[in-house]
Amino acid sequence: MLELDQLSAFYGPAQALFGVSLRVAAGELVVLQGLNGAGKSTLLKAIMGLEVRTEGAIRYQLPSGAVAIERWEIHRRAQAGLGYVAEDRRLFTELTVRENLHVAAGRDAKAHEARALDLFPVLKTLLSRPAAQMSGGQQQMLAIARTLMTGPKILLLDEPCEGIAPVLVESIRDALLALRREGLALLVVEQNRLLASRADRLLWLVAGKVRDS
Ligand code: ATP
């Protein structure tokens, strides 16, 4: 589904990733771990085309065949099926749950919304609530649900379980496992064992390089 080949990333002159190669297949959950500053967030941003300059190849599987997307703009990557949730979630906190979902609506919005609400039933009971008035875990569910409104084929999630009550972590984990069963590819930066223990593969990032665990 997604393949990185010798991917390096730079913030101006500062290099943050050094020749990272990895693959994530459809129906696979890959969890990325590493110390603070190892480059985990940078890796997701580089795949999405955000903030960093990259060198190396990012290949993505379209129904029509594999394409090199490393020069594509972020919108084109999103349209092609890459879904990203940043660590800070980037919700519109003054808008309600329903409004946050509809901001992201594109083709097949109704079906995507129904699916997202089935995965996160608690959101159904909060549709009229401003995001600012929800717990961190509920906001994280909304951020993932909003990304699902675009019908992604691969999800790139930055610490979806961090700072969240264990019972909500379990809900998020179960939703991600359901998406995996449906064939989505998942690349998730996460230290939480409730999720990491269910990974198909764990990857360790050390100073901008992948080390096998
Ligand atoms: P954390 O767990 O703290 O989020 P991380 O593994 O996600 O860590 P990154 O945030 O990807 O690490 O940072 C990797 C390196 O890139 C660090 O040395 C960091 O200082 C640097 N870096 C991150 N963002 C920027 C930026 N906007 N400008 C310059 N350097 C940055």
Side-chain angles (χ1 to χ4, degrees), residues 167-196:
V167 58
L168 295 185
V169 169
E170 287 178 4
S171 303
I172 291 170
R173 175 200 61 196
D174 292 346
L176 297 182
L177 295 179
L179 292 168
R180 172 172 70 174
R181 280 195 297 277
E182 288 174 16
L184 264 77
L186 296 142
L187 179 58
V188 184
V189 173
E190 187 56 70
Q191 311 292 343
N192 190 304
R193 288 185 51 82
L194 284 175
L195 183 66

Side-chain angles (χ1 to χ4, degrees), residues 9-12 14-17 33-45 51-52 87 158-159 162 189 191 205 208:
F10 303 82
Y11 293 98
Q15 186 165 359
L17 295 178
Q33 301 190 316
L35 299 177
N36 288 346
K40 307 179 297 294
S41 300
T42 301
L43 184 65
L44 299 189
K45 288 176 188 167
E51 290 178 46
V52 284
E87 208 169 352
D158 201 344
E159 306 216 53
E162 204 206 354
V189 173
Q191 311 292 343
L205 211 54

Side-chain angles (χ1 to χ4, degrees), residues 119-162:
L119 277 175
F120 300 111
V122 67
L123 295 180
K124 276 187 211 169
T125 68
L126 300 171
L127 282 171
S128 304
R129 181 164 312 179
Q133 294 173 24
M134 306 202 306
S135 75
Q138 292 165 345
Q139 289 188 13
Q140 185 64 51
M141 292 179 188
L142 176 56
I144 297 170
R146 184 181 59 176
T147 299
L148 294 175
M149 292 297 287
T150 59
K153 301 285 187 292
I154 177 163
L155 281 181
L156 309 167
L157 308 178
D158 201 344
E159 306 216 53
C161 304
E162 204 206 354

